[in-house]
């Protein structure tokens, strides 16, 4: 089998580390592996599959001879993507920098694989909450067009990186010691005010826009329409940070153009690759974030009719936002290109 030269930009962060785990786990056909990061992390040693790698500082010359550049995300994506493309690499990027660019395909391989073919060097990986949602929408949409979506998210602190996890841990400790909880990271370190996440919920992910939605909410709305190639679909979203370590959950209400039986919805979801139905109220079976972390699939439960509106249904969707919501989806895009000889 042909092997490919891979660069990982952001190798030391949560998504970068997940790339490495998945490359080993999935036996990804790499030849050379180049680990890149900002100057802050350059020089760190990473032992991977029995070999020690030194993390290099990313520069405009870092992408010579690279076939596939996996970008973990953040503001560095915008800076380095043009250099990687110029060097002849295909960039698969996890940041929001290129997602809504009409020249850049926005891909979930199970949902819109053929859109990959339109790339001009950069392919965007959707926002974590978007990926988890469209995995549940697509199998239903293929049976009956979705007219409207109302989604509320319950997003884990690891979505804010390792600092988010540390902040929750510290606050739980402070609270148990009777101290005042300190908050520096959430909802976002760049914002003026911070609130404790322990024993709390924060109804703000990313900054507010003039229309009173947050950026995260608008990402879910705009990206879903682009991936599903349906700009008529009405979507509204509320995104909330919850004191969970890992895996995002979403309460999703959909309104369809025509009615479906619950059995048809469950069969469509269960037979869709990457989705598992976990739904048995009698046995108290439903997905929960504690049990879906470090698992590849997206889980759907609480599937039921919304008895307040015609052709409307409710469901509860849970998935590991660092796996399917980020690193796994990115690698699956690369694997699909390799399999189809699209590189
Ligand atoms: C998730 O440095 C940055 O601007 C990163 C902001 C960010 C994003 C984004 O906008 O790319 C943090 C967490 C995302 C995302 O996936 O959209």
């Amino acid at each position: 089998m042909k092997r490919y030269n891979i660069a990982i930009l952001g190798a030391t962060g949560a998504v970068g580390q997940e790339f490495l785990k998945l490359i080993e786990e999935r036996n990804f056909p790499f030849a050379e592996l180049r680990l890149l990061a900002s100057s802050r992390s350059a020089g760190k040693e990473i032992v991977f599959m029995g070999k020690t790698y030194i993390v290099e500082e990313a520069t405009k010359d870092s992408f010579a001879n690279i076939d596939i550049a996996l970008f973990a995300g953040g503001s560095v994506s915008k800076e380095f993507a043009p250099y990687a493309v110029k060097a002849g690499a295909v960039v698969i990027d996890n940041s929001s920098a290129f997602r809504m660019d009409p020249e850049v395909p926005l891909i979930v391989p199970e949902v819109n694989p053929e859109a990959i073919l339109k790339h001009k060097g950069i392919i965007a990986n959707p926002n974590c909450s978007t990926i988890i949602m469209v995995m549940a929408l697509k199998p239903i949409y293929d049976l009956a067009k979705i007219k409207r979506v109302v989604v509320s998210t319950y997003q884990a602190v690891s979505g804010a990186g390792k600092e988010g996890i540390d902040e929750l841990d510290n606050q739980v400790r402070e609270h148990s010691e009777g101290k005042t909880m300190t908050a520096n990271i959430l909802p976002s370190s760049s914002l003026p005010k911070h609130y404790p996440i322990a024993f709390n919920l924060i109804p703000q992910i990313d900054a507010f826009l003039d229309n009173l939605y947050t950026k995260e909410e608008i990402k879910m709305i705009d990206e879903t329409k682009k991936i599903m190639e349906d700009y008529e679909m009405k979507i509204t979203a509320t995104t909330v940070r919850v004191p969970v370590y890992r895996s995002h959950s979403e309460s999703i209400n959909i309104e369809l153009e025509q009615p479906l039986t619950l059995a048809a919805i469950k069969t469509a979801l269960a037979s869709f690759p990457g989705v598992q139905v976990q739904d048995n109220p009698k046995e108290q079976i439903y997905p929960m974030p504690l049990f879906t972390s470090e698992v590849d699939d997206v889980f759907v439960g609480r599937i039921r009719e919304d008895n307040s509106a015609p052709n409307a249904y409710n469901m509860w969707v849970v998935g590991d936002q660092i796996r399917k919501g980020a690193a796994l989806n990115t690698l699956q895009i690369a694997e699909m290109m390799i399999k189809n000889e699209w590189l």
Side-chain angles (χ1 to χ4, degrees):
M1 191 182 194
K2 190 170 171 210
R3 300 198 159 261
Y4 298 84
N5 293 339
I6 307 294
I8 296 179
L9 178 61
T12 56
V15 175
Q17 289 292 299
E18 200 69 24
F19 279 145
L20 292 174
K21 247 193 235 171
L22 289 167
I23 285 171
E24 178 165 20
E25 191 180 304
R26 300 170 72 82
N27 213 352
F28 189 91
F30 70 94
E32 189 187 333
L33 180 65
R34 205 170 294 167
L35 303 185
L36 306 170
S38 62
S39 56
R40 198 161 40 96
S41 301
K44 276 191 190 163
E45 284 187 3
I46 293 180
V47 179
F48 177 62
M49 294 178 77
K51 197 175 152 190
T52 302
Y53 293 83
I54 310 284
V55 177
E56 299 169 38
E57 180 178 354
T59 72
K60 61 184 173 45
D61 303 316
S62 294
F63 302 95
N65 296 316
I66 292 297
D67 301 305
I68 305 168
L70 305 172
F71 282 17
S75 50
V76 287
S77 289
K78 211 176 179 130
E79 184 183 350
F80 289 104
Y83 300 121
V85 172
K86 205 178 277 171
V90 170
V91 174
I92 311 177
D93 178 42
N94 263 286
S95 83
S96 59
F98 304 103
R99 288 181 192 145
M100 297 313 297
D101 183 333
E103 305 267 277
V104 174
L106 181 63
I107 302 293
V108 177
E110 296 88 342
V111 177
N112 62 338
E114 63 298 326
I116 293 173
L117 288 164
K118 296 182 194 144
H119 84 83
K120 295 178 176 166
I122 303 174
I123 296 167
N125 198 72
N127 175 269
C128 43
S129 299
T130 307
I131 296 176
I132 291 164
M133 177 161 78
V134 297
M135 287 292 285
L137 295 184
K138 174 67 174 169
I140 301 170
Y141 193 100
D142 287 343
L143 298 178
K145 194 169 164 170
I146 299 174
K147 292 199 316 197
R148 181 166 183 254
V149 179
V150 181
V151 56
S152 297
T153 68
Y154 304 68
Q155 299 187 213
V157 292
S158 51
K162 189 173 176 330
E163 292 87 355
I165 295 177
D166 292 343
E167 177 140 297
L168 172 57
D169 277 344
N170 289 336
Q171 289 166 354
V172 170
R173 188 171 351 95
E174 286 167 338
H175 188 268
S176 70
E177 291 168 356
K179 294 180 185 153
T180 304
M181 295 190 279
T182 48
N184 303 305
I185 302 295
L186 294 168
S188 177
S189 49
S190 59
L191 293 168
K193 281 191 182 171
H194 300 102
Y195 301 109
I197 187 62
F199 316 105
N200 199 16
L201 303 172
I202 303 177
Q204 178 183 6
I205 298 184
D206 211 330
F208 280 103
L209 299 165
D210 288 343
N211 64 6
L212 309 182
Y213 282 75
T214 65
K215 278 195 198 168
E216 183 86 351
E217 289 157 355
I218 296 301
K219 286 177 195 174
M220 288 189 78
I221 294 166
D222 291 348
E223 294 175 18
T224 298
K225 292 178 185 181
K226 178 170 174 174
I227 297 163
M228 308 278 288
E229 292 176 28
D230 183 349
Y231 294 91
E232 315 271 84
M233 190 170 21
K234 293 177 171 34
I235 310 176
T236 190
T238 303
T239 57
V240 181
R241 189 74 67 189
V242 301
V244 162
Y245 281 134
R246 185 157 164 160
S247 272
H248 288 358
S249 306
E250 304 183 6
S251 170
I252 304 179
N253 178 273
I254 53 173
E255 198 182 320
L256 308 180
E257 235 168 42
Q258 73 260 2
L260 291 174
T261 64
L262 295 184
I265 291 175
K266 285 185 194 176
T267 303
L269 286 164
S271 51
F272 197 73
V275 173
Q276 287 188 47
V277 172
Q278 224 172 47
D279 192 7
N280 185 346
K282 276 203 195 86
E283 304 287 335
Q284 287 179 268
I285 302 292
Y286 33 71
M288 286 180 273
L290 196 56
F291 309 118
T292 62
S293 294
E294 309 209 36
V295 178
D296 287 351
D297 288 347
V298 169
F299 293 82
V300 187
R302 301 297 321 278
I303 302 162
R304 64 202 191 277
E305 283 174 15
D306 167 0
N307 51 28
S308 75
N311 308 339
Y313 302 86
N314 291 307
M315 58 185 169
W316 172 250
V317 181
V318 185
D320 184 325
Q321 89 284 1
I322 301 175
R323 284 225 165 185
K324 185 57 187 168
L328 174 64
N329 196 71
T330 305
L331 268 193
Q332 287 172 321
I333 294 169
E335 288 170 350
M336 177 159 277
M337 296 180 80
I338 290 170
K339 196 179 96 208
N340 290 299
E341 303 186 345
W342 288 346
L343 269 171

